[in-house]
Structures are given as structure tokens and as C-alpha cells.
Amino acid sequence: MKAIVISNSADVKTKPSPGLWHPIETIDIEKPVPKSNEVLVKISAVALNHRDVFSRQSLYPGVLPGVPLFADGMGTVTDAGSDSLRKQWVGKRVIVAPSRGWVSDRRAPDTSHFAILGGTKMLPVGTGCEYVACTNEEFVECPAHLSDSEAAALPLAGLTAWRATFTKGELPLNGPAKNVLITGIGGGVAVFAAIFAVHAGHSVYVTSSSKEKIDGAIERLGVKGGFNYKDKDWPDQVKKALGGALMDVVVDGAGADIATKAIKFCRPGAIISCYGMTAGPQIAYTMRSVLSHMDVRGSTMGSFAEFKDMVKFVDSHKVKPLVSHQFSLDDVEKAFLVMRDSQQFGKIVVTMTQSSSRL
Ligand SMILES: NC(=O)c1ccc[n+]([C@@H]2O[C@H](COP(=O)([O-])OP(=O)(O)OC[C@H]3O[C@@H](n4cnc5c(N)ncnc54)[C@H](OP(=O)(O)O)[C@@H]3O)[C@@H](O)[C@H]2O)c1
């Protein structure tokens, strides 16, 4: 079968650098044969995450040429290893889980072999190919209201947002309504966090460096307001907008000075749920935060149990992921460039249609 990989000619051991750009290519690899406890999924669409761009810059650990790229994918079950699985699943649309080796522990991965799909030696499986074999704990049925592209957009960013917002951020799923700030709404995880929190009935605010993205979040995602984190006084602006109320939770992908800034508008005992550190690789935590009982919590990806909960929520609330760009397989390089140059607001999807002569 065909697979999109980092080219075998790439020297992935070169010094990591944003200036690097390892070539990708379509190669032939062996089609998986489902084991007795597996189904075979024919992939229809995949989505990009920042880690795919980092892989081409050697900025991601364990990058391995020849391994199918991408963690996100959806498709249709075409075969199964046992008759009962065949009866139950063949013909159904499914979404592939973006990682393996984390079943249900709420605190952290419960196995030592937790790994994310796509392009690495830690787990030589990715969605960027024609077929992926999955056990029962590696896929879920696709909600009927999602198109293939919307379903492919969901896995990694959706799961990361789900855990950061509800598990670690402790926002209630069924009220009471809380105030939540989501930083850097240009990011894929942040968009999902905003969509989920709005659907769960919370008052959602965002930050961004872009007025267009703030306006887009208000108009398209239903958030209450936004603030430009480049304005020196943005924390004062948040406080003013809350009109005497305080922020309960911050879902943060920026790191750096978020805790010292958030102290101005957070209630005592507020949670900062941090899933990334785009703005700076450490978070300053001062005595003022100690006295305020502020919790700063790390959050990354999520378990298969959380993945199932997320997809159930998406199904019951008829959540629609925001797809920013959609490309055919012929234009996969263009998809990478959009992500590298941060031109997206929402997810970038590549459809694996047969219309392409290369797959
Ligand atoms: N833990 C996980 O499982 C996981 C999964 C995916 C990503 N991540 C991490 O999470 C972070 C975000 O990733 P992503 O792919 O969602 O987004 P991304 O494409 O890396 O975008 C990050 C966004 O951060 C915003 N930003 C930049 N500087 C900022 C600052 N000083 N304050 C607030 N926001 C700032 C920008 O938002 P605007 O464009 O709106 O200005 C930018 O669009 C990265 O660090 C990534 O490595 C973690």
C-alpha cells in the first residue's frame, strides 16, 4: 500500500532547526493484515498537527524516515481479524485514536509504551497511508453528523483540548457555568477547547495576537470576548470585561508569564491547565500565586477513555470541528506550508481520495 513518509534520503539526525525542511514522498509499504483482535481501516482523510511540521525540522523526538506520517485520521472498516469483529464493524465509518498505550488512568499514561501515531521510531504507525490496523481500544465509531474532513480534524487536538479543559481544568460538563480564558486562539488545541467549553455552557474568553482571529472566535465559535496578548494591559482588560466576576480556569498553550498575568483576573483557587509553552519554556510562579492557591497543571494528549468521552460529547452536542483548509493528496506539501506559516484558523485536512494518481 502507499504511504506518505519523510523521505529515506532525509538526514533526520542533522541539528534540529526551524530552517530545516526534510522532503516527504509517497512510497510502497506492506499492507497490514488484521490480527484476530483487530480491524482494518481504509483511511479517507488525515489532519496535520504541529508535530508533523516539527518532524520535518528534526524538532520532534524519534523522527524516522519511511514511517507513515500523521496522528489524525478517519476512514471505513474494510476487514477484521475475527468474524465477530467483521459482523460488528465492517462498513462502518470510524475515527482512529491518535495514540496508543494509554487506556484510562486519569493522572497519566498507564503503560510505559505510550506513543503518538505518525512518523517516529517510538511507534512506527501513522494515519498517512491507505490502511491502518486497530484493536478495539484504538478507534471509535464516527458520529454521523461529521463529514470525513471534520472527523479527521478531531483526534489529537480535540483530545488534548478535552483533557486540558475538562479533566485537568475541571470545567464541569453539566454546569454550573464558569468563566474560562483560552490563550492563543490561533492554535488548533485552543480552537477545540473554545468549541467544547462553549458547548458545555461556559462563558469563554480568548487571547490572540490577531483581531481577525478574535472576531472569528466571537462570530464562529460563540466566545464572549477576546484580548490581544500583545497589549501590555490585557490582564486589566480581562478584569474589566468580567465586570466584578473572576476567571475560574485558564486553558493555556503559551506558558511563560501566564500565571503572573492571570493572578490579576483569576479567583482564589483558580486552575491554569497548561498543554504547551509556545511563548516560553517555563511558567513563572510567584508567592502571590501560592497565597491565591492557584493550581498550575500540566496536561498532554489523553487516554483512550477520554477519547471516547470526547467523541460521545461531540456526537451528543453535534459539535462541528473547525476545518480551516482542505487539500487533496496531490497538494499535501501545500498543507504543510500552511501549518508551517501559521495561516490557519482551525484544522488543516488532507483527503486521501483515489482521484490522486499517486495514491
Ligand atoms: N500537550 C499536547 O498534547 C499538545 C498537543 C498539541 C500541541 N501542543 C503544544 O501546544 C502548543 C500550541 O499548539 P497548537 O498546535 O495548538 O498551536 P500552534 O499552531 O503552535 O499555535 C500556537 C498559538 O499560540 C499563540 N501564541 C503565540 N505566542 C503567544 C503568547 N505569548 N501568548 C498567548 N498565545 C500565544 C498564537 O496564537 P494567535 O495566532 O492567536 O496569536 C499561535 O497561533 C504548542 O506548544 C504545542 O507544542 C501540545
Side-chain angles (χ1 to χ4, degrees):
M1 67 171 179
K2 305 288 184 197
I4 309 161
V5 301
I6 288 194
S7 168
N8 281 312
S9 66
D11 180 6
V12 292
K13 293 207 173 103
T14 348
K15 197 165 167 241
S17 155
L20 275 179
W21 199 240
H22 298 311
I24 53 171
E25 63 181 344
T26 303
I27 61 167
D28 277 307
I29 61 170
E30 214 167 304
K31 181 179 170 184
V33 178
K35 299 191 187 103
S36 61
N37 63 342
E38 287 179 337
V39 299
L40 195 62
V41 181
K42 181 164 174 44
I43 299 294
S44 302
V46 301
L48 274 73
N49 289 288
H50 232 102
R51 64 191 293 284
D52 301 307
V53 165
F54 290 150
S55 295
R56 296 189 67 179
Q57 299 164 324
S58 281
L59 289 167
Y60 199 80
V63 173
L64 192 61
V67 173
L69 286 162
F70 309 130
D72 289 340
M74 70 79 61
T76 304
V77 175
T78 55
D79 198 0
S82 76
D83 283 345
S84 62
L85 283 176
R86 217 164 281 137
K87 235 186 230 164
Q88 198 184 339
W89 286 110
V90 169
K92 288 202 168 146
R93 293 169 77 232
V94 298
I95 306 177
V96 177
S99 61
R100 293 181 177 183
W102 185 358
V103 183
S104 59
D105 193 329
R106 280 176 70 84
R107 291 181 66 89
D110 38 22
T111 73
S112 58
H113 54 269
F114 169 73
I116 302 170
L117 272 64
T120 73
K121 63 183 175 198
M122 285 79 86
L123 175 64
V125 176
T127 54
C129 57
E130 286 177 284
Y131 294 92
V132 176
C134 303
T135 70
N136 254 341
E137 288 176 351
E138 293 165 356
F139 71 93
V140 292
E141 187 163 2
C142 180
H145 73 283
L146 296 181
S147 68
D148 288 2
S149 292
E150 289 163 345
L154 190 57
L156 190 149
L159 178 58
T160 305
W162 179 265
R163 178 168 172 79
T165 305
F166 298 114
T167 310
K168 302 302 289 278
E170 292 186 16
L171 271 188
L173 276 169
N174 299 304
K178 304 273 184 191
N179 292 320
V180 54
L181 180 75
I182 296 165
T183 60
I185 197 62
V189 178
V191 168
F192 272 112
I195 292 173
F196 292 158
V198 167
H199 275 277
H202 300 293
S203 297
V204 182
Y205 299 84
V206 298
T207 69
S208 176
S209 59
S210 146
K211 182 172 177 337
E212 289 72 39
K213 288 180 186 175
I214 290 174
D215 291 346
I218 294 169
E219 281 159 29
R220 300 175 67 188
L221 309 182
V223 313
K224 290 217 149 149
F227 313 92
N228 189 326
Y229 57 76
K230 295 215 163 143
D231 292 349
K232 271 212 164 89
D233 68 340
W234 74 263
D236 297 316
Q237 294 176 27
V238 178
K239 199 171 170 194
K240 200 168 159 203
L242 290 174
L246 291 165
M247 206 62 81
D248 298 287
V249 177
V250 179
V251 178
D252 178 56
D257 58 3
I258 185 64
T260 44
K261 291 266 159 68
I263 200 91
K264 291 201 171 160
F265 53 74
C266 277
R267 72 164 170 81
I271 295 171
I272 297 187
S273 179
C274 174
Y275 62 85
M277 293 201 176
T278 297
Q282 47 185 291
I283 289 185
Y285 188 83
T286 63
M287 191 62 198
R288 216 172 144 202
S289 296
V290 173
L291 294 173
S292 174
H293 300 264
M294 179 180 268
D295 263 357
V296 178
R297 300 177 175 178
S299 185
T300 186
M301 294 290 291
S303 67
F304 185 66
E306 288 170 311
F307 185 63
K308 278 196 297 189
D309 288 346
M310 172 193 68
V311 176
K312 202 165 147 198
F313 179 90
V314 165
D315 197 9
S316 60
H317 288 256
K318 300 293 170 256
V319 172
K320 289 276 206 175
L322 190 62
V323 175
S324 172
H325 290 70
Q326 186 174 302
F327 295 95
S328 74
L329 198 57
D330 287 326
D331 287 329
V332 65
E333 183 65 16
K334 284 188 193 158
F336 269 97
L337 295 179
V338 168
M339 167 136 281
R340 187 191 67 182
D341 300 339
S342 289
Q343 293 163 6
Q344 78 279 13
F345 179 49
K347 295 292 291 182
I348 302 161
V349 172
V350 177
T351 52
M352 311 283 278
T353 44
Q354 293 294 336
S355 61
S356 161
S357 55
R358 275 186 273 149
L359 196 75

